[in-house]
Amino acid sequence: MSSSVTTLVTGGTGTLGQALLPRLQARGHDVRAASRSPPTDDEVTWSRMDLTTGDGLRAAVADVDVVVHTASSPLGDTEAVDVDGTNRLLDVAADAGVANVVYISIVGMEDIPYSYYEHKLAAERAVEESEVPSTVLRSTQFHQFVHEILETVGRLPVWPLPTRMQLQPVDVDVVADRLAEHATPEPSGRLDPIGGPEVRRLGELARAYREARGRWRPIVRLPIPGRTVGAFRDGKATCPEYATDSPTWEAWLDATYG
Ligand SMILES: NC(=O)c1ccc[n+]([C@@H]2O[C@H](COP(=O)([O-])OP(=O)(O)OC[C@H]3O[C@@H](n4cnc5c(N)ncnc54)[C@H](OP(=O)(O)O)[C@@H]3O)[C@@H](O)[C@H]2O)c1
């Protein structure tokens, strides 16, 4: 990797962004990162930008060769951030002559009726239809995502969960490795998706979490009607044919909780 590649990571403070920054540095990139609340104490050149308003966007993208776009707002205004914000970023990237916008997307989005996924799908299409060359990687859920759900439910005396949902949690480091490999001025187009080593039921993941946390609470199957959970139950969010030989959920729990 030539040391002259300047790479901007949007969402540099996020779970994936944090995993990407050291990998890009190790590959010799001149690394920049942006978010609404950037830290100051880092080797990375940080800038403040907001995708919903466009504030700081032009400055963040100036003189950049590659943009790895991980910023997203799953619990916020997903249309403003993920759709409008991505379009804003693409316009600025086109003006700046960016050589490759690398976009992280989600496995199975078109088969799962959920507004965040609809907006991610629109953003993914905008990236692929943009005049800016691009690379798109779809991933299954990160271990941290499953962990967040279980930490929330874990505060209750009884854990009501749609236990039959199928997930294929993946280590974020493995996703970051794949993205860093393709963060080059040569776009790769649509990559094969990436998934964790195993397709698992949420109930099994919850039992392993309960053991790791030593919290002996009953796990109760919550039958959630509707097409969204139904799609997860049917395995639409998984890609077993693209399973990676990467740390399992139990290995991640072990590394996190010892
Ligand atoms: N989590 C998963 O399981 C998973 C699975 C597959 C794909 N993905 C995709 O991977 C990407 C990263 O996910 P993640 O879990 O790392 O997300 P995350 O931890 O929630 O981080 C989101 C990042 O976006 C930034 N951001 C949010 N709103 C913004 C705005 N208006 N303007 C600028 N920056 C903004 C946040 O920083 P500030 O708050 O400082 O602005 C943060 O750095 C997302 O696109 C997601 O769809 C995630």
Side-chain angles (χ1 to χ4, degrees):
M1 170 62 60
S2 150
S3 60
S4 63
V5 177
T6 301
T7 299
L8 169 72
V9 177
T10 71
T13 52
T15 304
L16 178 58
Q18 287 289 292
L20 264 165
L21 299 179
R23 285 170 168 78
L24 293 169
Q25 282 176 308
R27 285 173 171 267
H29 292 243
D30 174 4
V31 182
R32 303 190 188 173
S35 84
R36 287 168 305 174
S37 25
T40 46
D41 55 341
D42 220 324
E43 290 171 20
V44 167
T45 308
W46 284 90
S47 55
R48 185 181 305 278
M49 67 92 176
D50 189 338
L51 286 168
T52 52
T53 58
D55 288 349
L57 200 49
R58 227 162 254 287
V61 175
D63 303 321
V64 160
D65 302 305
V66 177
V67 175
V68 187
H69 181 31
T70 79
S72 180
S73 182
L75 301 177
D77 187 340
T78 58
E79 184 162 21
V81 177
D82 289 88
V83 186
D84 301 342
T86 298
N87 276 307
R88 226 171 247 126
L89 172 68
L90 290 166
D91 287 346
V92 170
D95 290 349
V98 168
N100 185 13
V101 168
V102 181
Y103 186 63
I104 178 70
S105 199
I106 305 173
V107 166
M109 295 185 300
E110 52 278 270
D111 295 323
I112 304 172
Y114 170 39
S115 65
Y116 176 53
Y117 286 5
E118 282 154 21
H119 291 141
K120 284 286 294 184
L121 193 58
E124 182 191 83
R125 286 196 182 124
V127 168
E128 292 191 317
E129 287 167 8
S130 163
E131 67 186 79
V132 185
S134 64
T135 301
V136 172
L137 175 67
R138 285 182 168 201
S139 168
T140 57
Q141 282 66 39
F142 309 154
H143 291 315
Q144 283 85 348
F145 170 84
V146 179
H147 184 245
E148 264 172 44
I149 295 175
L150 295 176
E151 283 281 285
T152 304
V153 172
R155 297 191 195 106
L156 304 172
V158 173
W159 299 355
L161 285 166
T163 50
R164 295 186 183 169
M165 267 176 68
Q166 297 195 72
L167 295 167
Q168 190 181 348
V170 67
D171 196 302
V172 73
D173 287 348
V174 177
V175 179
D177 281 338
R178 181 77 57 88
L179 289 173
E181 188 188 321
H182 290 275
T184 66
E186 298 76 36
S188 303
R190 178 72 77 104
L191 299 171
D192 283 344
I194 188 167
E198 304 168 328
V199 174
R200 306 283 298 274
R201 299 269 177 196
L202 183 56
E204 295 166 31
L205 300 173
R207 282 195 292 276
Y209 165 83
R210 182 174 63 179
E211 187 159 337
R213 297 293 262 149
R215 289 182 181 166
W216 302 108
R217 306 277 160 74
I219 296 168
V220 180
R221 184 165 79 86
L222 180 67
I224 301 179
R227 292 189 301 134
T228 308
V229 170
F232 275 96
R233 217 168 28 233
D234 293 345
K236 300 292 189 196
T238 68
C239 57
E241 62 282 31
Y242 294 104
T244 48
D245 181 19
S246 56
T248 61
W249 171 240
E250 279 79 1
W252 186 85
L253 286 172
D254 199 39
T256 306
Y257 293 110

